Amino acid sequence: MNKSKFNITPFLFIGPAVLLLFVFSFAPILVSLGISFTDMNLSGLANWSQINFVGLDNFIQLFQDEKFLQAMGNTFFYVIIGVPLAVASSLLIAVLLNFFNNWVSSTFRVVYYVPSITNIVAIAVVWSFLYNQEYGLFNYLLSLINIDSVPWLEEPVVARLSLILLAVWKSNGVSMLIFLAALQSIPKIYYEAADIDGANRWHKFFKITLPSMSFATFFVTVTTLIGWLQFFEEPFVMTNGGPLNGTNSMALFIYQEGFQYSQFGYGAAASFVLFAIVIVATLVQFKLRKTD
Amino acid sequence: MELKNKFERAVVLFILFAGGLLVSLPFIWMILSSFKNDREVLSIPPTLFPENPTFQHYIELFQNLNFGVYLINTLIIVLFSMFGLLLNTMAGYGFGKFNFRFKEGWFMIVLITMMIPGQVTMIPTYLILNEMGLTNTMAGIILPGLIAAFNIFLIRQFMVTVPDDLIEAARLDGAGEFYIFFKLIIPLAKPILAVQVILTFIASWNSFLWPLIVANDESLYTLSVGLALLQDENVTNYGLQMAGSAFMVVPIVVIFMIFQKYIVEGFNVSGIK
C-alpha cells in the first residue's frame, strides 16, 4: 500500500460526531462572540444589512442595566448559599449511607438519587403546588405547629431561598454518588491504625476521611459551582424571574433577552459576561487547590 | 468508620429514614393528589389518601389535551438520541483506536465544547438553525442535542483499554472496519454502553429548553413543553397538573430503579476518588 495515501477510515468514525459538534457547539461560540459586538435583533435576522457593528456598546450598556446587575447579584446569592449547602448535604448523606453495607445503603441511595433524574418541569409543577400559599402542603404543615403562612414564592428573598431549597433537593444525587465512591475507596487500615492510637470519631473524620476525599470534594465543588453560576431552570419554570426581578439569574436574563425580546446581540454579550465569570471562578478554584 | 453499637445504628437508620421520607415527599404528594377530584385536591385540611380515587385527570390528559402527540414526539426524540449515542460511540472508538493527522487537534475541539456553558451557544445555535431553515422542525429539535462531548470522552477512555491485537487479528482475518466495530467492539463495550443508554434515555425524555425554543407548533411539543403549557393554562387545577407530572416522572423512576445498579457501578468504574 502507498504510505502517503490518505487513510479515510478514522474519519468515517469520528466524522459525523465531529461535524455535528463543530456546527452546533464550536461554531456557535465564534458566532456568539461575533454578534455580541453588533446590535442584531429580529429585523437583523430577516435582513443582514440591518445589523450594525457597535463595538463594546453592548457590554457597556450591560453594566448600566439595573436588571442585569440585579440578575448578577441574585446569581451570586444563589452561589454563595447554594454551593455550600449542596456540597455539605450530599457529603452528609454519603457519610451516613457509608455506615451500612446492605439493603439500607442500596435502598436509600436510590431514594436520594431519584430527584436528580426527574424532569425539571414536572418537579417545578409539583413544588409550585407544595409552595402554594393557600393550598400548599408546606404552609399547612407549618400551621399545625402554629407557624404563620410563609410567602414561599411571593417575596424576593424568600423566593430565592425557596428556589435554592428545591435545587439542593434536586442536585444531591450525583454528588452523593461521587462522595460515596470516594468514601468506599479509603483503606480500612487507616481507621484501624487511628483506633490503636486512641483517636475519637471526630479526629478520624477530620484527619482521615476528609483529607482522603480532597479530590472528590474539589471535583464536586467545581462542578457544583459551575452549575449554580448557570442557575436557570428553577427560576425559569417557577417564578419567571419574579417577583420584582427578585429571582432572576444571569442565565435567565440571557434567555429573556435572546428569545423573549429577540435582542440577540445584547443577549450574546451577556452570555460572554457569564462565560468569563465561570472561567474566572474555575481558575480561582484550581489556583486555591494548588496552594493547598 | 464504623458504628459502635445498636443504639447508634438505630439513630443513623432513623435519620436516613426521615431524610428519605422528606426527599420523597414531593413524589408521594404528587401521586396521591393526582387521584383526588378537583374539590378534594384543594381541601383544607388536606387529606392524605384520596377519598374517592379517580382516574379522571389521567383520562383528561389524553382526551382533552394533546398528551398523546407530546408522548409520540418525546419518544421520537428518545429514538434519535440513541442514534446520537451510536455516533458518539463511533467517535469514541475513532479517537481511542486510530492514529491520524491532527488527532489531538480534533480531540481538543471535542473537549473544548464540553466546557462551554449552554447559555453561550443557545442564541447562536438558534440563529444557525434559522439560517438552515430548521426552526420549528423536528430536525431542529433533534440535531443540536445528538452529540455529547462528554459521552465521546467517556467512551474513548474505555476504547483505549481495548487491546490493539484483538482488532489487528480481526483485520488479518479480513474483517472490514465496520464489521469489526459492530461485531467485536460494541459487544465488548456493552457494560459502558448500557449505562450510556439509560442516561441518554433519561436526558432525552427530560429535554425541555431546546424543544421549547425551537418548536412553535403544538404538534411539535414534547411532554415537558406540554406540561409547562398545561401549568400556564390550568393554574389552579392541581389534580390535572399532578397527573401530568406523574406521567412524566413515574416511567423514568421505574426505569431507573430497574437499571440503577449499572449506573452506580458506572460511577465507581469512572474512578473518581
Side-chain angles (χ1 to χ4, degrees):
Chain A
M1 229 193 284
N2 184 355
K3 262 211 165 151
S4 65
K5 198 183 142 194
F6 176 72
N7 185 6
I8 197 163
T9 317
F11 292 98
L12 291 178
F13 280 100
I14 68 161
V18 169
L19 181 74
L20 281 167
L21 266 188
F22 201 84
V23 176
F24 292 115
S25 288
F26 197 76
I29 327 172
L30 305 176
V31 175
S32 191
L33 189 63
I35 60 174
S36 69
F37 298 113
T38 70
D39 62 354
M40 181 164 191
N41 55 25
L42 210 54
S43 58
L45 190 63
N47 180 359
W48 283 15
S49 64
Q50 300 272 325
I51 305 170
N52 301 304
F53 180 80
V54 295
L56 290 173
D57 280 7
N58 283 331
F59 293 93
I60 294 165
Q61 198 189 332
L62 271 174
F63 285 97
Q64 293 164 349
D65 185 339
E66 289 271 323
K67 203 178 155 204
F68 180 72
L69 293 176
Q70 198 183 352
M72 202 145 103
N74 291 342
T75 302
F76 291 140
F77 184 97
Y78 290 132
V79 167
I80 289 164
I81 298 185
V83 175
L85 264 181
V87 175
S89 62
S90 54
L91 177 63
L92 176 71
I93 297 170
V95 168
L96 291 179
L97 282 178
N98 197 42
F99 282 128
F100 296 89
N101 195 11
N102 53 8
W103 64 270
V104 174
S105 62
S106 52
T107 309
F108 282 107
R109 202 172 54 196
V110 173
V111 169
Y112 288 106
Y113 190 76
V114 159
S116 59
I117 54 155
T118 46
N119 181 281
I120 181 67
V121 183
I123 292 310
V125 168
V126 174
W127 279 73
S128 299
F129 184 31
L130 293 170
Y131 277 150
N132 185 296
Q133 218 172 334
E134 235 176 299
Y135 308 110
L137 182 65
F138 287 167
N139 273 346
Y140 172 73
L141 292 178
L142 290 179
S143 76
L144 292 181
I145 48 172
N146 283 322
I147 294 177
D148 282 343
S149 80
V150 175
W152 295 103
L153 296 173
E154 280 81 9
E155 200 275 322
V157 179
V158 182
R160 276 202 289 277
L161 293 171
S162 301
L163 293 186
I164 289 175
L165 178 69
L166 159 61
V168 168
W169 171 81
K170 187 164 163 48
S171 70
N172 270 334
V174 181
S175 318
M176 170 199 79
L177 284 188
I178 293 168
F179 278 134
L180 210 50
L183 279 169
Q184 282 162 357
S185 69
I186 302 175
K188 286 223 164 42
I189 193 155
Y190 290 178
Y191 294 113
E192 285 158 13
D195 281 336
I196 294 169
D197 291 344
N200 70 26
R201 192 164 294 172
W202 296 111
H203 279 133
K204 281 192 269 182
F205 182 74
F206 285 107
K207 302 283 179 191
I208 299 172
T209 311
L210 276 186
S212 313
M213 293 175 57
S214 70
F215 181 72
T217 316
F218 172 69
F219 180 82
V220 169
T221 311
V222 171
T223 50
T224 309
L225 180 78
I226 294 175
W228 281 85
L229 280 172
Q230 299 170 49
F231 197 59
F232 170 76
E233 283 162 321
E234 287 82 357
F236 177 56
V237 195
M238 295 202 56
T239 57
N240 202 11
L244 303 171
N245 210 28
T247 59
N248 211 351
S249 66
M250 291 179 75
L252 184 54
F253 178 88
I254 296 163
Y255 174 86
Q256 290 166 340
E257 289 302 325
F259 296 103
Q260 286 175 344
Y261 312 128
S262 298
Q263 297 295 330
F264 301 118
Y266 195 50
S271 76
F272 270 94
V273 176
L274 175 62
F275 196 15
I277 293 174
V278 169
I279 291 173
V280 169
T282 314
L283 289 178
V284 167
Q285 299 236 328
F286 273 89
K287 191 98 189 155
L288 286 177
R289 183 175 160 78
K290 265 205 188 129
T291 55
D292 226 5
Chain B
M1 283 199 290
E2 273 159 26
L3 296 169
K4 286 201 186 93
N5 52 40
K6 282 207 168 134
F7 173 71
E8 283 188 358
R9 220 180 134 78
V11 170
V12 174
L13 200 58
F14 175 77
I15 298 172
L16 279 176
F17 190 80
L21 194 68
L22 276 178
V23 167
S24 318
L25 184 76
F27 296 119
I28 298 168
W29 197 243
M30 167 186 80
I31 290 171
L32 291 175
S33 302
S34 72
F35 293 111
K36 292 175 186 170
N37 64 36
D38 290 343
R39 194 179 40 79
E40 192 185 351
V41 83
L42 295 180
S43 64
I44 300 214
T47 53
L48 184 56
F49 291 100
E51 280 164 359
N52 305 302
T54 166
F55 280 101
Q56 161 205 339
H57 299 304
Y58 289 93
I59 296 166
E60 202 182 333
L61 287 179
F62 286 88
Q63 279 186 349
N64 304 340
L65 301 157
N66 277 329
F67 267 60
V69 175
Y70 307 156
L71 176 64
I72 290 168
N73 288 337
T74 306
L75 290 176
I76 292 173
I77 293 179
V78 167
L79 191 75
F80 276 95
S81 73
M82 293 303 154
F83 175 68
L85 180 57
L86 176 70
L87 295 182
N88 286 334
T89 310
M90 283 168 52
Y93 174 62
F95 280 118
K97 277 287 152 242
F98 288 99
N99 279 313
F100 48 92
R101 281 187 74 176
F102 307 124
K103 179 162 113 166
E104 270 69 40
W106 291 114
F107 196 56
M108 194 52 93
I109 288 183
V110 172
L111 292 185
I112 285 174
T113 62
M114 220 156 74
M115 296 162 207
I116 310 162
Q119 287 84 16
V120 179
T121 53
M122 191 164 65
I123 293 172
T125 305
Y126 180 81
L127 299 180
I128 290 172
L129 282 173
N130 191 58
E131 279 306 304
M132 298 165 106
L134 290 179
T135 44
N136 203 25
T137 65
M138 207 43 156
I141 297 175
I142 291 165
L143 278 174
L146 224 43
I147 304 299
F150 189 58
N151 284 1
I152 296 180
F153 175 73
L154 280 184
I155 293 167
R156 189 203 89 113
Q157 297 304 90
F158 172 84
M159 293 301 174
V160 169
T161 67
V162 174
D164 282 329
D165 297 348
L166 207 64
I167 300 166
E168 270 317 309
R171 274 190 196 132
L172 288 176
D173 287 343
E177 294 296 337
F178 280 90
Y179 185 87
I180 294 175
F181 176 71
F182 283 105
K183 294 285 175 179
L184 183 69
I185 301 297
I186 289 202
L188 265 179
K190 243 183 210 160
I192 183 158
L193 288 183
V195 180
Q196 300 285 344
V197 167
I198 303 159
L199 294 179
T200 305
F201 181 92
I202 293 175
S204 56
W205 176 269
N206 286 339
S207 63
F208 167 59
L209 182 63
W210 199 247
L212 177 81
I213 291 174
V214 177
N216 297 325
D217 288 348
E218 217 192 315
S219 64
L220 287 173
Y221 281 4
T222 57
L223 280 173
S224 48
V225 177
L227 186 61
L229 183 79
L230 182 151
Q231 190 198 18
D232 288 342
E233 291 179 354
N234 299 273
V235 179
T236 53
N237 195 342
Y238 283 114
L240 188 62
Q241 290 185 22
M242 294 307 114
S245 303
F247 187 71
M248 283 228 69
V249 167
V250 172
I252 282 295
V253 173
V254 171
I255 287 175
F256 175 72
M257 281 182 173
I258 297 171
F259 296 106
Q260 57 93 15
K261 219 184 91 207
Y262 303 100
I263 297 183
V264 173
E265 276 167 13
F267 266 97
N268 289 345
V269 171
S270 68
I272 295 157
K273 281 171 190 165

